[in-house]
Amino acid sequence: MKIDYSLYLVTDRKSIGERTLAEAVEQALLGGCSMVQLREKECSALDFYRQALCVKRITEKYQVPLILNDRADIALAVGADGVHIGQSDLPARAVRRLIGENRILGVSVSSLKQAQQAVRDGADYLGVGAMFPTKSKADAERVSLEELARIRRMSDLPIVVIGGINRENAGLFRSMGIDGLAVISAVLGQPDIRKAAVRMREAVKS
């Protein structure tokens, strides 16, 4: 299946106010988000599993890939399309053995060296960041545009940038050959999620 990384939604239940996660995700997809990563850092495995089942019904309805952050076991249990891991999670090579060749494997990197290792370990795409300060991950290591350019030259794998991405800075990546922008608060933290996603989609395309 051809994967559209262009507007990559990363969930954060702290951002969505009184809405349910399923409601928030559906509004984001209606606005044009092309991929969803379910990220739940502060819940039990059972809660994550239940949320994943719920969100998967939405992503299937709109035929959008669902990626689970970190939890390869839950991804397999719910039939998610893939897994995204960071540098402190299970090694990418081990995750690839767990999920097989037919599921998507994304790896977060913040340096050329980490990106090279992710490519060797069988990543399908790279999540590069944090590009800007972000409340969702205050301790995230910042990545310069120069380092991003080096990573882009090193590999032709799809690259999604993350960390403080919004309509104002989306244009910085237009000429860099970047495949997607990962958004959290720029969409989920807005009063009208669908409208925010539409505007981000316009920023991606223009």
Side-chain angles (χ1 to χ4, degrees):
M1 121 174 112
K2 174 137 177 71
I3 300 161
D4 179 1
Y5 291 94
S6 57
L7 191 55
Y8 183 120
L9 182 74
V10 180
T11 68
D12 178 8
R13 278 197 277 181
K14 292 177 183 174
S15 298
I16 61 177
E18 298 301 311
R19 294 164 287 214
T20 68
L21 189 56
E23 288 167 347
V25 168
E26 182 158 28
Q27 288 302 304
L29 296 185
L30 285 167
C33 286
S34 59
M35 198 162 183
V36 176
Q37 181 190 137
L38 182 61
R39 184 163 76 179
E40 295 290 340
K41 291 293 190 183
E42 297 173 9
C43 72
S44 68
L46 179 58
D47 190 22
F48 195 167
Y49 170 76
R50 287 171 173 162
Q51 291 290 341
L53 284 175
C54 197
V55 171
K56 186 169 182 282
R57 285 194 286 270
I58 305 297
T59 56
E60 283 183 337
K61 178 180 175 182
Y62 294 95
Q63 297 184 307
V64 167
L66 173 63
I67 307 297
L68 298 197
N69 182 270
D70 184 19
R71 297 299 299 262
D73 54 343
I74 297 175
L76 290 171
V78 303
D81 298 285
V83 179
H84 187 94
I85 57 169
Q87 293 297 312
S88 60
D89 297 323
L90 275 176
R93 192 168 292 177
V95 174
R96 173 57 77 199
R97 286 198 297 270
L98 285 170
I99 66 173
E101 295 299 322
N102 296 324
R103 282 188 167 83
I104 303 162
L105 176 58
V107 180
S108 291
V109 301
S110 58
S111 69
L112 178 61
K113 183 178 179 182
Q114 290 176 358
Q116 289 168 330
Q117 187 63 51
V119 171
R120 287 194 293 270
D121 286 348
D124 291 306
Y125 74 92
L126 304 174
V128 182
M131 302 310 304
F132 305 102
T134 171
K135 290 179 183 176
S136 67
K137 203 169 184 182
D139 61 344
E141 188 176 345
R142 291 282 301 280
V143 179
S144 67
L145 290 176
E146 292 76 17
E147 189 74 349
L148 175 62
R150 284 190 281 271
I151 294 169
R152 175 70 292 170
R153 288 193 296 270
M154 180 273 299
S155 172
D156 59 1
L157 284 185
I159 289 177
V160 177
V161 290
I162 190 168
I165 307 296
N166 55 41
R167 287 166 61 204
E168 286 67 42
N169 57 40
L172 287 172
F173 306 101
R174 227 167 261 140
S175 63
M176 298 186 71
I178 300 307
D179 301 271
L181 307 181
V183 290
I184 305 174
S185 58
V187 170
L188 294 180
Q190 305 309 306
D192 189 326
I193 289 174
R194 182 173 181 174
K195 188 180 289 184
V198 168
R199 288 176 173 169
M200 271 305 303
R201 189 91 205 166
E202 289 168 352
V204 169
K205 286 182 174 179
S206 61

